[in-house]
Amino acid sequence: MKASHLTIGLFILASFATGCDNIGEDDRYIKVEKPVIDNPRNLLIMEFTGNSCLNCPTGAAVVEQIKEDEAPGRVISVGLHPYGSHFTEPVGSIHSPSRKQDFRSQAATALFDYYQPSGFPAAIFNGLKSSMSGSTADWIQRASEALTAMTNVSLSATCGYEEATRNLTVDYDVEFLDYINHKLNVTIWLVENKIMGTQTMPNGRPDFNYEHNHVLRTSLNGDWGQELGESFAEGERMTGSASITLEEEWVAENCDVVVYVYRDDNKEVEQATSIPILN
């Protein structure tokens, strides 16, 4: 009787072992669907960075990972190179031998003076000063949390660019999806991608063929944008525009426009969008 029980037990155990081998890849893990959010708020990541900052390439890589993995199409990143930091001093480049490359801008400096990061890199998630983090290990979690937020603002933008004059005009359209009773501003930025230049790497050595992306070049409507108003009714719409002439060294086909609406009191971004200046 004991031998019979042992035989049956071994048979059952063998059956379980064989069954495990036949489990499909899709059945090995529990898939967790991300929640569906009504009127989702895009995420604007403002990253203080510099071409002489050896940890900044790591920060840039984490931001790119967030853009690809967390919510593709809903994450906008802008690299801030302010005046007043030794990390952002102009450096020589084999791609511009006649002069040093300078990525600094007044718009980035205004943000630097307001947020006052203790070091580089540092990232802000949708504008709140309390969201700022200098630890790249925290960024994915902070981004994931920010992407669960809803918004009462719908925002769109279009670009008109004249190649002969290098004049760029940006038109924006803001619609309010619910009643809002606080002051809002709108800011329009020009950022440039695919800039080949010098970057200090984590090993302390310079990379002379580093690709700098989403570099904030300038603001089209002032360091802090322009005021939209203080009270908005549901269904109300507001439009506006701003223009600029691109500097000679800025490559138009590599430039994007970032438009965002934010609260004046705490700088929280209500909604943001990004479009290339050339379709």
Side-chain angles (χ1 to χ4, degrees):
M1 183 67 66
K2 289 183 179 179
S4 177
H5 288 169
L6 178 61
T7 301
I8 294 172
L10 291 174
F11 175 79
I12 294 172
L13 182 62
S15 298
F16 275 120
T18 304
C20 288
D21 290 339
N22 294 328
I23 295 176
E25 282 295 321
D26 291 341
D27 297 324
R28 291 181 185 271
Y29 307 101
I30 299 175
K31 295 182 179 180
V32 178
E33 297 291 339
K34 294 186 177 180
V36 177
I37 304 170
D38 292 331
N39 305 325
R41 181 183 305 185
N42 291 336
L43 172 58
L44 175 61
I45 302 177
M46 297 182 286
E47 179 191 4
F48 289 106
T49 186
N51 42 16
S52 295
C53 164
L54 59 85
N55 290 321
C56 288
T58 301
V62 172
V63 171
E64 289 305 312
Q65 181 183 349
I66 291 170
K67 294 173 73 172
E68 292 178 7
D69 297 344
E70 290 302 310
R74 286 186 53 210
V75 181
I76 301 162
S77 60
V78 177
L80 309 177
H81 298 253
Y83 291 95
S85 171
H86 66 278
F87 292 124
T88 61
E89 291 293 324
V91 296
S93 171
I94 61 175
H95 301 280
S96 56
S98 61
R99 61 176 177 174
K100 294 182 177 180
Q101 283 186 317
D102 190 355
F103 298 146
R104 299 173 299 178
S105 67
Q106 176 54 42
T109 306
L111 295 166
F112 180 71
D113 293 341
Y114 174 77
Y115 289 103
Q116 298 184 350
S118 58
F120 282 32
I124 301 101
F125 301 85
N126 271 345
L128 286 173
K129 186 178 285 190
S130 60
S131 75
M132 183 169 62
S133 172
S135 172
T136 57
D138 296 337
W139 290 5
I140 293 178
Q141 180 62 32
R142 290 177 184 254
S144 181
E145 293 172 356
L147 284 164
T148 63
M150 296 173 58
T151 183
N152 289 322
V153 174
S154 176
L155 175 64
S156 63
T158 58
C159 292
Y161 179 69
E162 297 178 358
E163 187 174 355
T165 62
R166 295 180 62 81
N167 186 69
L168 169 67
T169 299
V170 179
D171 297 302
Y172 63 83
D173 187 317
V174 183
E175 181 179 0
F176 301 96
L177 308 178
D178 201 349
Y179 174 69
I180 295 178
N181 190 29
H182 47 252
K183 185 187 291 186
L184 295 178
N185 295 350
V186 59
T187 298
I188 306 172
W189 282 342
L190 178 72
V191 301
E192 186 175 1
N193 302 293
K194 299 180 181 179
I195 309 172
M196 303 306 297
T198 303
Q199 173 67 51
T200 302
M201 301 304 290
N203 61 9
R205 297 178 180 177
D207 181 350
F208 297 108
N209 287 290
Y210 184 87
E211 183 176 295
H212 298 267
N213 288 304
H214 49 81
V215 174
L216 176 57
R217 285 303 198 181
T218 189
S219 173
L220 276 68
N221 60 346
D223 291 343
W224 293 103
Q226 61 193 83
E227 182 179 333
L228 284 174
E230 297 187 7
S231 181
F232 311 91
E234 179 181 354
E236 183 177 354
R237 297 181 67 176
M238 301 188 70
T239 60
S241 65
S243 299
I244 193 174
T245 300
L246 271 62
E247 299 289 339
E248 184 177 351
E249 66 269 23
W250 301 346
V251 181
E253 53 263 36
N254 294 339
C255 289
D256 295 335
V257 164
V258 174
V259 183
Y260 68 99
V261 174
Y262 71 95
R263 291 180 57 142
D264 182 71
D265 55 356
N266 60 6
K267 306 299 185 283
E268 182 179 13
V269 175
E270 295 281 356
Q271 189 59 291
T273 188
S274 176
I275 55 172
I277 70 171
L278 295 177
N279 293 323

